[in-house]
Amino acid sequence: MTDTMTEPVKDMAGGPDHLGGLATQGLAVGYRTRSPRRRRAGRAVLSGLDLEARAGELTVLLGPNGAGKSTLLRTLCGLLPPLDGRIHIGGADLAHQPPAALARRLAVVLTDRVDPGLLSVRELAGLGRHPHTGFTGRLTAADHAAVDWSLKAVGAEHLADRPAAELSDGERQRVLTARALAQEPEVVLLDEPTAFLDVPSRVALTVLLRDLARDKGLTVVVSTHDLELALRVADAVWLVDRGSRVHAGAPEDLIRSGAVAGAFDADHLAFDPVSGSFGLRRTARASVAVDAAPDVLPLLERALAREGLAVADPGDPDVPTRVSCDGDDRLTLTGPDGQVVHTRSFHELTRTVRTW
């Protein structure tokens, strides 16, 4: 069952609203099994999906582990047959697309390990041009230009002449993304493309994919666990919750509806809809009155919350323990018995309150 917050797909036979985009109607995804009588049956992971990813937008697929994100993504790209329903790319039914034609319209980057053999990085990225080459597979000047652009787009141009087998996991993921871009498709599906990247590289690649969608009119669908980053950058979100329902809409729609919190909140973790981030869910053992500048106050709240302390207003007379910050960034802690301790770092402060 699908809970969508966007307009439902009305014309699955095509039409201007779907040109260049990806849409599903009544889609059920899962795995084929054999019944005791050896008849093929299906075990649905997600069903009744009416989803749309529009051209020019970055659509992000989110959900807890085991929710069915990879199964959905593999079905959308044709690696798994749908148990029911239809998938359309640019208004054309995926099931009726010849492989050669589909390869010119759809590019995929999965988490499966790729053995590049003796290929260089440029040659590996160049494989994305094969749907556009003739029988010989030779690349033209235009093909080489597309490969060079794709490597530069993902920040991997400096790796072009290196053996692909020597790349780190993060470097390899960039090059596989470049291979998909070199294909010049209408739709790009990526499964965890930032999994092996450091934080700055994750941000850079995610923003790149959003910008490429906007600038090139691509339909980009990305499965990721980078929840907070995705909610800040994505144009649209497909969120699979614990009940196997898929919520669709802008990030703000899903935050406001409580769908994000419902899918990810746990015993010790809670999603804050105001900041768009996760925080620890802990019962405060005491309160501390805090007097600090606006740029220091959030850091003090984080540090004290880690020690089980809630921040109170500095004018509250019922809170005997107090923390203040002077102009020299010195943190002063005043205890219930009037004891005063001056600390020079948050580390010193937290160590001190831990013993009080």
Side-chain angles (χ1 to χ4, degrees):
M1 180 178 183
T2 305
D3 179 9
T4 105
M5 301 182 70
T6 56
E7 294 183 0
V9 178
K10 297 178 181 178
D11 180 11
M12 296 305 301
D17 288 343
H18 302 290
L19 293 178
L22 181 150
T24 72
Q25 181 184 44
L27 182 66
V29 304
Y31 298 92
R32 299 289 182 181
T33 60
R34 286 191 179 274
S35 69
R37 295 184 180 181
R38 306 182 69 83
R39 295 178 179 175
R40 293 184 67 83
R43 180 177 65 84
V45 176
L46 302 170
S47 61
L49 304 181
D50 296 328
L51 300 170
E52 181 181 10
R54 297 195 175 192
E57 293 186 350
L58 171 63
T59 300
V60 173
L61 176 59
L62 302 173
N65 286 333
K69 299 188 301 298
S70 294
T71 303
L72 173 57
L73 208 63
R74 287 174 178 271
T75 304
L76 292 176
C77 67
L79 292 178
L80 288 175
L83 301 182
D84 195 10
R86 292 185 289 171
I87 303 168
H88 285 73
I89 293 180
D93 195 326
L94 181 69
H96 299 154
Q97 290 285 295
L102 183 60
R104 288 190 291 271
R105 307 186 75 172
L106 174 67
V108 183
V109 181
L110 300 176
T111 55
D112 298 343
R113 172 70 67 172
V114 174
D115 182 4
L118 300 177
L119 295 178
S120 70
V121 165
R122 181 179 280 108
E123 290 168 335
L124 178 57
L127 294 178
R129 295 303 301 167
H130 281 197
H132 303 278
T133 60
F135 177 76
T136 63
R138 288 185 178 180
L139 302 186
T140 66
D143 293 322
H144 285 296
V147 173
D148 290 341
W149 170 84
S150 70
L151 289 171
K152 183 176 181 181
V154 300
E157 69 270 27
H158 64 290
L159 304 172
D161 297 321
R162 281 182 54 184
E166 297 180 1
L167 299 177
S168 68
D169 288 337
E171 290 170 336
R172 184 180 296 108
Q173 199 69 3
R174 288 192 190 192
V175 175
L176 293 177
T177 303
R179 183 184 66 179
L181 295 178
Q183 203 169 321
E184 294 186 318
E186 298 173 24
V187 177
V188 184
L189 304 178
L190 305 100
D191 191 9
E192 292 290 341
T194 63
F196 302 108
L197 302 180
D198 56 28
V199 173
S201 298
R202 289 182 182 189
V203 175
L205 181 57
T206 304
V207 172
L208 165 70
L209 293 172
R210 195 272 312 276
D211 291 346
L212 285 171
R214 300 270 182 88
D215 298 341
K216 302 294 182 181
L218 294 175
T219 301
V220 182
V221 180
V222 178
S223 172
T224 181
H225 286 294
D226 287 331
L227 177 62
E228 293 181 15
L229 174 60
L231 292 175
R232 291 184 181 277
V233 178
D235 298 300
V237 173
W238 296 346
L239 173 64
V240 186
D241 67 17
R242 293 187 177 97
S244 297
R245 295 186 305 167
V246 180
H247 306 261
E252 294 74 19
D253 291 326
L254 303 192
I255 291 173
R256 186 177 183 184
S257 71
V260 174
F264 292 100
D265 276 6
D267 291 342
H268 300 293
L269 193 69
F271 183 77
D272 179 8
V274 176
S275 65
S277 61
F278 284 94
L280 294 177
R281 190 200 300 271
R282 304 183 69 174
T283 302
R285 59 183 175 86
S287 295
V288 177
V290 175
D291 184 10
D295 61 326
V296 179
L297 183 58
L299 298 177
L300 276 171
E301 289 178 339
R302 283 167 53 102
L304 294 172
R306 197 164 56 246
E307 302 303 325
L309 300 171
V311 170
D313 187 272
D316 190 339
D318 297 326
V319 180
T321 304
R322 299 178 174 276
V323 173
S324 61
C325 179
D326 61 25
D328 296 326
D329 290 336
R330 182 173 62 176
L331 300 170
T332 300
L333 178 65
T334 304
D337 57 357
Q339 179 184 2
V340 176
V341 178
H342 300 292
T343 63
R344 289 287 181 179
S345 68
F346 289 100
H347 202 180
E348 288 184 22
L349 176 70
T350 54
R351 281 177 170 174
T352 302
V353 298
R354 201 174 301 158
T355 62
W356 285 22

